[in-house]
Amino acid sequence: MKVIPYETIAQKLKDDRVMLVGGAGFIGHNLALELRELGVEVMVLDNLMVNSLVANQFESGKDALQRQLYLNFLLDRLDLMRRAGVVLRNADARNFMDIAQIFTDFQPTKVVHLAAIASAVDARRNPGLCFDLQLITLRNVLELCRQKPKDINQVMFMSSSTVYGDFETPTVDESVRPQPRGIYANAKYMGERLVRTYADQHGVGITIVRPSALYGERCVSQRVSQLFIENALAGRSLRLEGGGDGRLDFTYIKDLVRGMTRALALHDGPGSTETFNLTFGNARTIAELAGVVKDIVPKAILEEHPRAVDKPIRGTLSTQRAEEVLGFKAEWNLETGYRQYCQWYAEQWQRAEAEMMRN
């Protein structure tokens, strides 16, 4: 493992200006806060359409407590970024002329593309929107970056571990050929192919990040890690398909954003192309995830169901390349990171209940 103290990263980024396209979401706002902690100039560009305040208050399927809880998370994101000095511009990255002007105003040296539907389930339900948010925005970003090769030294593209499809071995590394399934995974892989093409033909510096099974504060995407603790607190059952033997490489958001920050700081510039798995690096079962929830909420109900036939077979993502090149090593396992997240969620649940009582 390459030893690069995290304290040295700030020095490497001191002259950079980082734009996060689609940066008001779960990953983006946490990355913005991490970069600002290091003193980096950060702008978030987002149309506030996904995970939006309006959709949260008016879409069906949430009860009053969920709406209050998620409203708190979304408002906390904005408040934390404001207090940290993040610049936020409300614009739609699908509109080339709008974001071209913002690029001119901010003059970024690095761009992180995060615009996407956050859920494979939502992408399947609305494939056209998935395509628009993922690929039309990426085309616009790449075209703007292509025109300023001396000014913008890196484009980071947020991909997904789902590009691997069914894992044919317990562990996969970046050399494994992707076999994506479904609109979400295929849109991510199409994005990877697109950024690599711009690197090959136009010399754009590229970094591709493949995260897995994220969890962490202020997420509203209803990943399994969020649904389990939320269902437990609400008295709903935790669904264990196949007895909970499915495996995922659960990754705490704090580990991901530190890995991304390293990848931004240590990039070799125009013409360089890198792909990194940025995960914990050790898959755990859904039953183990439920076990942590059960420790925090003893009344949690575990309910076994048959295994879903359309769920991909997953496993561990090797982080050896990120360790060797970036000095990255995840720190938060389920027993520490997920436990801390569940405790935080329980506190936020109580906060939302108290606010509803006052109202």
Side-chain angles (χ1 to χ4, degrees), residues 130-285:
C130 173
F131 188 96
D132 273 3
L133 294 180
Q134 180 75 70
L135 296 174
I136 301 302
T137 59
L138 181 59
R139 178 203 64 186
N140 289 343
V141 165
L142 290 170
E143 276 296 286
L144 288 165
C145 293
R146 176 179 68 85
Q147 297 171 21
K148 298 183 177 182
K150 294 181 180 179
D151 300 323
I152 302 175
N153 60 63
Q154 182 183 13
V155 175
M156 176 177 282
F157 173 66
M158 180 55 59
S159 185
S160 167
S161 60
T162 61
V163 300
Y164 291 112
D166 286 329
F167 285 26
E168 297 180 354
T169 55
T171 301
V172 297
D173 62 24
E174 296 87 346
S175 68
V176 171
R177 182 182 178 184
Q179 301 182 66
R181 294 169 50 188
I183 184 67
Y184 177 83
N186 273 284
K188 289 292 188 183
Y189 189 49
M190 290 166 70
E192 288 193 9
R193 297 292 297 270
L194 190 58
V195 296
R196 288 196 182 97
T197 299
Y198 270 76
D200 292 340
Q201 297 188 1
H202 302 290
V204 178
I206 294 299
T207 301
I208 294 168
V209 173
R210 293 172 177 166
S212 172
L214 293 172
Y215 64 89
E217 289 80 358
R218 298 173 299 280
C219 179
V220 298
S221 301
Q222 297 192 319
R223 296 170 169 89
V224 64
S225 50
Q226 180 189 0
L227 282 178
F228 268 22
I229 181 60
E230 186 174 296
N231 285 347
L233 292 167
R236 298 187 292 265
S237 63
L238 281 60
R239 185 183 179 94
L240 301 179
E241 295 182 356
D245 63 351
R247 301 178 69 83
L248 289 172
D249 197 342
F250 293 105
T251 306
Y252 196 13
I253 188 65
K254 293 179 185 294
D255 280 328
L256 174 65
V257 298
R258 284 207 157 196
M260 293 174 71
T261 301
R262 285 181 175 272
L264 288 168
L266 301 173
H267 186 69
D268 289 334
S272 176
T273 303
E274 302 169 319
T275 302
F276 296 111
N277 293 334
L278 291 180
T279 69
F280 184 74
N282 182 29
R284 303 288 294 274
T285 66

Side-chain angles (χ1 to χ4, degrees), residues 104-122:
T104 299
D105 294 343
F106 184 64
Q107 298 183 351
T109 60
K110 296 178 183 290
V111 179
V112 182
H113 183 277
L114 297 147
I117 284 181
S119 160
V121 174
D122 290 342

Side-chain angles (χ1 to χ4, degrees), residues 30-86:
N30 276 291
L31 177 59
L33 295 174
E34 182 71 19
L35 291 171
R36 286 299 299 144
E37 185 72 20
L38 298 178
V40 182
E41 292 298 317
V42 180
M43 172 182 280
V44 164
L45 186 158
D46 202 297
N47 66 2
L48 304 178
M49 174 182 176
V50 176
N51 301 334
S52 77
L53 294 167
V54 174
N56 177 68
Q57 293 302 100
F58 287 92
E59 67 184 9
S60 60
K62 293 190 183 79
D63 59 31
L65 181 57
Q66 280 179 306
R67 287 197 297 271
Q68 183 64 54
L69 184 70
Y70 290 15
L71 178 64
N72 288 345
F73 294 171
L74 295 170
L75 289 174
D76 285 349
R77 289 181 187 179
L78 298 175
D79 185 53
L80 286 167
M81 287 194 290
R82 178 187 58 78
R83 286 192 279 146
V86 176

